[in-house]
Amino acid sequence: MSKELHKRLQDADMRKSKSDKLIANYFERNLAELPFETAKSIAARLEISQMTVGRYLRRLGFDGLDEMKAALRRGNRSNPAWQVKGSMDRFQQDLRDGKFLAGLLQQQVENLGRIYELTTSPEWQKTIEALISASEIYVAAYQNVRGIAQYFASQLSYTRSRVQFMDGLNGTYAELLDGSVEGRVLFLHDVRRFAAKARPLAEEARRAGVKVILLTDEFCPWAEEASDIALVVPGSHGPLWDGAATMTAVMDLMLSNIIVLMGNEVDERVQLLTRLQDVFGDFES
């Protein structure tokens, strides 16, 4: 199917306008990524309307992107990217039967699609730029997301220096708020039920001239007011309160984005840290 589609995309009738050429070129270069795309995300990437993408798909012979994906799956069984859904008959039947785990899995899949749209947003780009250029980064989180945030801070410290997780046990957060270093960033993670300290910390940080990035969920009522950059992910609508898989996916994508952009700087830092780990014997040889 992909060869046939490539041929159709090269046809002059499918490349009449500027938007035609943008969409055709995007499809040609990114077929492997289409399982994770939506018409909305493609439109955002190409800076055209979602309606324009829909019209182009109909001219191409598909009643929407889902139909195109289905055709490509049938013709690309050997490509792992198209095996995300695999044989879905049992899963779809379990959903119809109202089985609990099937419903949770469906929610996670939908959340991942929304996260991909987040990575194309201006807020995402601003976050990546801030985390690369900051003089120091302080990561804070509470309750059940605390462990995930500690993981993020630890992984981020492999890409750049001056990254610290704050536990707040000193009762003052003075390491962040003393004003002794310019260009600091607070990366605050909080989801419902929201911690009592989270908003006051964000507001104090902004008063101290610290840029605040807030990673939160759709239930946060003060995200825009208390932060410079708000990254809002889907919240949990089921019995799982915090949706750890969604938050972890966001952080892993963020780390990957930073590593790609920093390139050789990350390689040099990892080499340094690896040598120090060998010196102090933290890992088996």
Side-chain angles (χ1 to χ4, degrees):
M1 177 63 202
S2 58
K3 289 183 180 179
E4 180 184 342
L5 180 59
H6 273 291
K7 186 176 179 180
R8 287 158 66 184
L9 291 169
Q10 288 292 332
D11 193 289
D13 286 339
M14 300 307 301
R15 291 175 171 270
K16 290 181 177 179
S17 67
K18 180 181 177 181
S19 60
D20 284 352
K21 292 173 184 176
L22 282 172
I23 299 170
N25 289 338
Y26 186 81
F27 283 160
E28 284 186 320
R29 295 167 185 165
N30 298 278
L31 281 183
E33 303 301 321
L34 286 184
F36 315 107
E37 290 275 24
T38 64
K40 183 178 179 180
S41 68
I42 292 170
R45 282 181 176 277
L46 300 179
E47 298 183 350
I48 58 178
S49 72
Q50 189 173 339
M51 189 178 298
T52 299
V53 176
R55 284 198 297 263
Y56 187 87
L57 286 166
R58 285 191 291 275
R59 286 170 51 210
L60 201 55
F62 301 107
D63 186 18
L65 188 60
D66 286 343
E67 186 173 302
M68 181 178 175
K69 289 179 183 180
L72 286 166
R73 277 199 304 275
R74 290 192 294 270
N76 290 275
R77 294 298 185 184
S78 61
N79 186 338
W82 293 101
Q83 296 172 15
V84 173
K85 290 190 175 181
S87 177
M88 296 294 286
D89 291 347
R90 179 178 176 183
F91 176 63
Q92 295 294 343
Q93 184 59 52
D94 286 349
L95 277 176
R96 287 191 290 271
D97 293 342
K99 291 190 177 179
F100 168 70
L101 290 180
L104 282 181
L105 179 59
Q106 180 66 22
Q107 179 185 323
Q108 295 291 355
V109 170
E110 291 171 359
N111 285 351
L112 288 173
R114 291 172 65 185
I115 289 170
Y116 188 74
E117 291 183 19
L118 177 64
T119 66
T120 67
S121 69
E123 290 78 14
W124 180 273
Q125 188 58 46
K126 290 176 184 177
T127 297
I128 298 300
E129 291 171 357
L131 293 177
I132 290 175
S133 63
S135 58
E136 297 178 343
I137 298 173
Y138 291 84
V139 180
Y142 306 93
Q143 303 165 359
N144 292 349
V145 292
R146 174 192 173 105
I148 305 170
Q150 283 181 299
Y151 157 80
F152 177 80
S154 176
Q155 295 296 91
L156 185 60
S157 71
Y158 276 82
T159 71
R160 54 155 296 156
S161 61
R162 299 183 180 275
V163 179
Q164 179 180 335
F165 181 82
M166 292 193 302
D167 56 24
L169 294 179
N170 61 13
T172 64
Y173 296 98
E175 64 270 43
L176 171 71
L177 302 174
D178 64 9
S180 62
V181 177
E182 293 184 358
R184 285 173 168 167
V185 166
L186 168 63
F187 195 3
L188 178 61
H189 304 206
D190 197 24
V191 296
R192 72 167 189 182
R193 240 178 122 190
F194 299 102
K197 293 180 180 179
R199 182 170 184 174
L201 175 59
E203 292 172 341
E204 282 298 318
R206 295 184 79 187
R207 274 193 283 269
V210 175
K211 179 175 286 186
V212 177
I213 302 169
L214 175 64
L215 177 58
T216 189
D217 64 28
E218 60 195 298
F219 303 110
C220 183
W222 45 266
E224 303 294 339
E225 302 168 27
S227 67
D228 296 287
I229 306 169
L231 291 173
V232 181
V233 302
S236 176
H237 294 270
L240 299 182
W241 197 252
D242 290 327
T246 301
M247 295 290 279
T248 304
V250 169
M251 294 177 200
D252 281 344
L253 288 172
M254 196 170 290
L255 287 165
S256 296
N257 200 160
I258 291 169
I259 289 168
V260 168
L261 290 177
M262 294 186 67
N264 291 336
E265 294 178 59
V266 177
D267 291 338
E268 291 169 6
R269 181 162 176 81
V270 169
Q271 289 174 21
L272 169 63
L273 296 179
T274 300
R275 185 184 69 78
L276 292 175
Q277 288 167 344
D278 291 340
V279 169
F280 295 108
D282 279 350
F283 296 93
E284 293 182 359
S285 58

